[in-house]
Amino acid sequence: GAVVSQHPSWVICKSGTSVKIECRSLDFQATTMFWYRQFPKQSLMLMATSNEGSKATYEQGVEKDKFLINHASLTLSTLTVTSAHPEDSSFYICSARDRRVDTQYFGPGTRLTVL
Amino acid sequence: AQSVTQLGSHVSVSEGALVLLRCNYSSSVPPYLFWYVQYPNQGLQLLLKYTSAATLVKGINGFEAEFKKSETSFHLTKPSAHMSDAAEYFCAVRGSGNTPLVFGKGTRLSVIA
C-alpha cells in the first residue's frame, strides 16, 4: 500500500519552545492531509484537515494559532506546535488521502514529550 | 454526521479461536467503513474497507468484515487468531468525498497462548 512518512518519530522539548512535525506522502500526491492526536489508550481525535494551497480547517476546540498547519506541496504537510506546554504531550499522527483509491493512509506517528 | 461505536474495549481470545470485534455505525449518508490495526507506538494500518460494493469484504492477514445495513453493523472477524494479531483495532466511518475518517474508541485484542 501507499506509504506516508513522519519526521521526527519522537521529540522531547522544553516548555515554551516550538516543534515542527513533517508528514510526507511518498508515492502519491495528496491534495488532502489530516492531522490527528491520540492520547494513551484512547482513539484518534481529528485536529485539522489540510488542503494543498489553502488554509487548514480546524476542528472545534483546536487552537489554530497554537497548532500551525502548512500544506505547501502535494506531498508535504507540516504541523508546528507553538509554545509547547506539558499538556501538549501526545502522539500525533498524520494521514494522507490517495484520491486514486479513495483511501486514507497513516503515518507512523510522532511522540511529543514536553518537559 | 457519522459515528461508530465499538462494543468492548478489550477482547481476549485463545490462539486458534475465532476473533470477533464489533462495530456499529451511524450515518446520514451511505457510509464508507474501515477497519484499521495499530501496533504499539505505531501508526494505523488499513485492514479492509467497505465502499458499497460487496457486503463481505476480505482484508489482509485473514481478516474479513460484513456490512449489514439492517443492523448498521460492520463486525470484523478472523477464523483463527494468531499471537501476532494482538493489537488495537479501530473501526472508522466517513461519508463520500473529501470528508475525514471518524474513529471508534478502539478495541484491544489480546491473544492467549
Side-chain angles (χ1 to χ4, degrees), chain A residues 59-111:
Chain A
E59 295 300 300
Q60 190 173 8
V62 178
E63 300 177 59
K64 61 180 181 180
D65 294 330
K66 182 169 187 61
F67 298 99
L68 301 179
I69 292 173
N70 183 282
H71 192 160
S73 79
L74 288 172
T75 60
L76 173 64
S77 176
T78 61
L79 167 68
T80 301
V81 183
T82 62
S83 186
H85 291 283
E87 57 265 30
D88 299 323
S89 298
S90 190
F91 195 50
Y92 292 88
I93 303 175
C94 77
S95 175
R97 180 170 174 259
D98 186 344
R99 293 177 63 182
R100 300 170 301 175
V101 292
D102 196 21
T103 297
Q104 271 186 243
Y105 295 100
F106 286 80
T110 297
R111 174 77 58 192

Side-chain angles (χ1 to χ4, degrees), chain B residues 18-56:
Chain B
L18 171 71
V19 175
L20 171 61
L21 303 182
R22 300 177 186 274
C23 173
N24 288 90
Y25 70 90
S26 174
S27 179
S28 55
V29 297
Y32 291 76
L33 293 159
F34 304 79
W35 276 99
Y36 286 85
V37 60
Q38 184 182 34
Y39 296 98
N41 296 310
Q42 294 186 28
L44 274 68
Q45 181 181 5
L46 179 67
L47 281 176
L48 50 80
K49 64 179 180 179
Y50 166 77
T51 57
S52 77
T55 56
L56 181 62

